[in-house]
């Protein structure tokens, strides 16, 4: 409704201190009405004061027009209305001025003081005028009528505008508070939505990384062995037909296993694309399928609980069958670990052997496992590869994601992963996982 102060006027869009043009027109209308009222009452004031009528009219019009600045200086309007109360003019200005004062942001003590002054002025003026009327005989009432009329008039001219102004000011402040709360809530909701979108995007990226890592771990090892066996098959096809047939059977078995694992990982995506009721498949479901397929990568039959340290011998045997000279040494007693720990340890050894097939074909390799009190350590180290080897013609491609995937797996379990070349020209992969 009505406010005062520089803060509010600065936020307005109307002329000067008004909030808007509508408020300016309203105040101009009220000021005009007050000027007309005070100007009309100024005729009687001029007659009583012995002044020319035009002087009284001009005085009343000027005093009444002060209502134009009620929003900017409500105290001045109330003081002017109190000052002209003895002249029995400015009733509209007094009512509107008190209302504006009570609805403003001024301290309550100032509002109470000015309202009390206005009440006292109206009470005294009404008492004097009524008493004069009773004395002159204009009012045929008893002596009780003078204080009654004075008190009633003073209360009626003061209490209603003040109470209404206080109510409207409190209501306006409440609405502003609610509006600020709504704006704050909207900003918080927008911020939460942005954070949720960021978290969703982060989750999608994490799941994509996980899917890529699982597919790499599942397929890369078997396909690498297939390429190595195929290269060996090409070299011995004419010299040793029986070994060539055996290698061909191994290549076929590994290819079928790789295809089975790929079908398990991609089956969720294929099903989601055919089902019209499911427009998209969550990446978490794909990641779960990839993880399930990865857990069966070392199991020829496709069943079981997934790769474990007990299957390291079989993994070493597959590499040995592909022509790698590999030695396994185990320190400590094998004991049961959490499934994630055993799978991660298996994958580290598997990927390290795959890298040897890719980059150091024919090099002698050492696989070491150490079962300690609170951790399990593994190391795969290969010697410098020979210049010319049977497997060197395989020309296995590398995507550069194997070491990164191993490091991510180990770090996810709170372990430490280190890899790099050795002084002898080979390569070493080491990992320690808390047990």
């Amino acid at each position: 409704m009505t406010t005062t102060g520089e803060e509010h006027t600065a936020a307005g869009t109307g002329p000067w201190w008004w909030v808007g043009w509508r408020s300016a027109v309203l105040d101009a209308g009220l000021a005009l009405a007050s000027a007309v009222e005070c100007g009309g009452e100024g005729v009687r004031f001029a007659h009583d004061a012995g002044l020319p009528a035009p002087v009284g009219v001009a005085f009343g019009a000027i005093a009444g027009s002060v209502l134009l600045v009620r929003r900017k200086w409500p105290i001045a309007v109330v003081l002017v209305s109190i000052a002209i109360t003895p002249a029995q003019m400015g009733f509209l200005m007094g009512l509107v001025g008190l209302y504006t004062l009570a609805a403003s942001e001024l301290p309550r003590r100032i509002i109470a003081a000015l309202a009390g002054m206005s009440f006292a002025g109206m009470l005294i003026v009404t008492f004097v005028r009524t008493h004069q009327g009773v004395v002159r005989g204009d009012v045929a009432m008893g002596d009780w009528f003078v204080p009654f009329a004075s008190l009633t008039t003073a209360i009626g001219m003061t209490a209603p505008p003040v109470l209404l102004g206080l109510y409207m000011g409190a209501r306006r402040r409440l609405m502003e508070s609610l509006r600020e709360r709504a704006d704050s809530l909207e900003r918080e909701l927008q911020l939460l939505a942005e954070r949720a979108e960021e978290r969703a995007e982060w989750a999608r990226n994490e799941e994509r990384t996980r899917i890529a890592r699982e597919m790499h771990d599942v397929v890369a090892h078997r396909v690498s062995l297939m390429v190595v066996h195929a290269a060996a098959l090409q070299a011995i096809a004419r010299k040793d037909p029986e070994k060539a047939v055996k290698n061909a059977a191994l290549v076929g078995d590994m290819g079928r296993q790789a295809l089975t694992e790929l079908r398990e990982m991609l089956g969720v995506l294929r099903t989601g694309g055919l089902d019209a009721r499911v427009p998209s498949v969550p990446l978490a479901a794909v990641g779960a399928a990839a993880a399930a397929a990865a857990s069966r990568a070392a199991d020829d039959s496709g069943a079981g609980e997934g790769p474990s340290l007990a299957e390291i011998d079989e993994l070493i045997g597959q590499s040995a069958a592909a022509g790698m000279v590999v030695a396994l040494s185990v320190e400590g007693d094998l004991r049961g670990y959490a499934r994630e720990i055993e799978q991660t340890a298996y994958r580290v050894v598997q990927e390290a052997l795959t890298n040897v097939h890719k980059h150091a074909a024919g090099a002698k390799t050492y696989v070491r496992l150490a079962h300690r009190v609170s951790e399990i350590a593994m190391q795969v180290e290969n010697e410098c590869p020979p210049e010319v080897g049977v497997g060197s013609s395989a020309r296995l491609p590398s995507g550069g994601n194997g070491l990164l995937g191993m490091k991510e797996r180990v770090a996810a379990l709170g372990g430490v992963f280190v890899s790099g070349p050795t002084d002898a020209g080979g390569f070493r992969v080491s990992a320690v996982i808390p047990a």
Side-chain angles (χ1 to χ4, degrees), residues 203-219 261-262 264-266 268-269 281-294 401 405 408-409:
R204 286 193 291 268
N205 293 334
E206 287 293 316
E207 208 57 45
R208 291 191 188 100
T209 303
R210 179 188 173 193
I211 294 170
R213 183 171 62 244
E214 296 292 350
M215 293 184 67
H216 178 274
D217 292 342
V218 167
V219 179
E261 292 159 1
L262 280 175
E264 292 176 352
M265 284 187 291
L266 301 179
V268 176
L269 288 175
V281 178
L283 288 174
V286 181
N401 296 318
E408 290 175 350
R409 283 180 176 275

Side-chain angles (χ1 to χ4, degrees), residues 153-393:
T153 303
I155 293 176
M157 293 295 294
T158 306
V162 171
L163 294 177
L164 181 60
L166 292 174
Y167 167 75
M168 296 305 297
R171 181 177 180 273
R172 185 194 65 251
R173 288 188 288 271
L174 176 61
M175 295 301 295
E176 291 177 353
S177 175
L178 293 177
R179 189 179 298 108
E180 291 177 358
R181 284 171 135 191
D183 293 341
S184 177
L185 180 60
E186 183 178 359
R187 288 192 296 269
E188 290 180 1
L189 290 176
Q190 184 177 2
L191 181 60
L192 289 175
E194 293 176 356
R195 290 181 177 177
E197 182 63 27
E198 292 176 358
R199 287 195 296 268
E201 183 64 25
W202 176 83
R204 286 193 291 268
N205 293 334
E206 287 293 316
E207 208 57 45
R208 291 191 188 100
T209 303
R210 179 188 173 193
I211 294 170
R213 183 171 62 244
E214 296 292 350
M215 293 184 67
H216 178 274
D217 292 342
V218 167
V219 179
H221 182 71
R222 295 194 185 279
V223 173
S224 298
L225 292 179
M226 288 170 59
V227 175
V228 172
H229 281 293
L233 177 62
Q234 183 180 5
I236 65 173
R238 296 181 180 177
K239 299 178 182 179
D240 193 346
E242 290 187 9
K243 190 173 183 180
V245 171
K246 182 178 179 181
N247 284 349
L250 288 175
V251 170
D253 291 340
M254 293 180 182
R256 283 187 290 271
Q257 292 170 8
L259 287 175
T260 300
E261 292 159 1
L262 280 175
R263 289 193 194 98
E264 292 176 352
M265 284 187 291
L266 301 179
V268 176
L269 288 175
R270 187 180 300 112
T271 304
L274 294 176
D275 192 352
R277 295 172 300 177
V278 184
S280 62
V281 178
L283 288 174
V286 181
S295 68
R296 294 189 290 271
D299 193 345
D300 294 339
S301 62
E305 292 298 326
S308 62
L309 293 176
E311 302 173 11
I312 290 292
D313 291 334
E314 181 181 354
L315 181 64
I316 299 298
Q318 292 176 356
S319 295
M324 178 187 294
V325 179
V326 55
L328 173 65
S329 62
V330 181
E331 300 178 7
D333 297 330
L334 177 63
R335 63 181 188 273
Y337 298 99
R339 182 178 178 184
E340 294 80 4
I341 295 177
E342 295 214 8
Q343 289 181 359
T344 300
Y346 181 93
R347 293 300 182 198
V348 170
V349 176
Q350 182 189 55
E351 181 59 29
L353 293 176
T354 301
N355 287 340
V356 175
H357 284 295
K358 289 181 179 180
H359 308 292
K364 187 173 182 180
T365 305
Y366 302 92
V367 179
R368 302 180 181 89
L369 291 178
H371 301 278
R372 300 168 184 167
V373 177
S374 59
E375 62 186 15
I376 175 174
M378 63 223 69
Q379 183 182 91
V380 179
E381 180 180 351
N382 62 273
E383 298 179 350
C384 182
E387 295 296 332
V388 179
V390 176
S392 62
S393 62

Side-chain angles (χ1 to χ4, degrees), residues 58-114:
F59 173 77
I62 294 173
S65 62
V66 176
L67 196 58
L68 187 67
V69 297
R70 69 183 186 95
R71 296 178 189 265
K72 189 171 182 61
W73 295 299
I75 296 178
V77 174
V78 175
L79 290 176
V80 170
S81 68
I82 295 173
I84 63 176
T85 299
Q88 288 188 320
M89 63 174 63
F91 297 104
L92 176 62
M93 183 169 59
L95 292 173
V96 177
L98 287 175
Y99 166 80
T100 306
L101 178 70
S104 68
E105 303 293 338
L106 292 172
R108 293 295 178 86
R109 63 179 182 275
I110 297 178
I111 297 175
L114 291 175

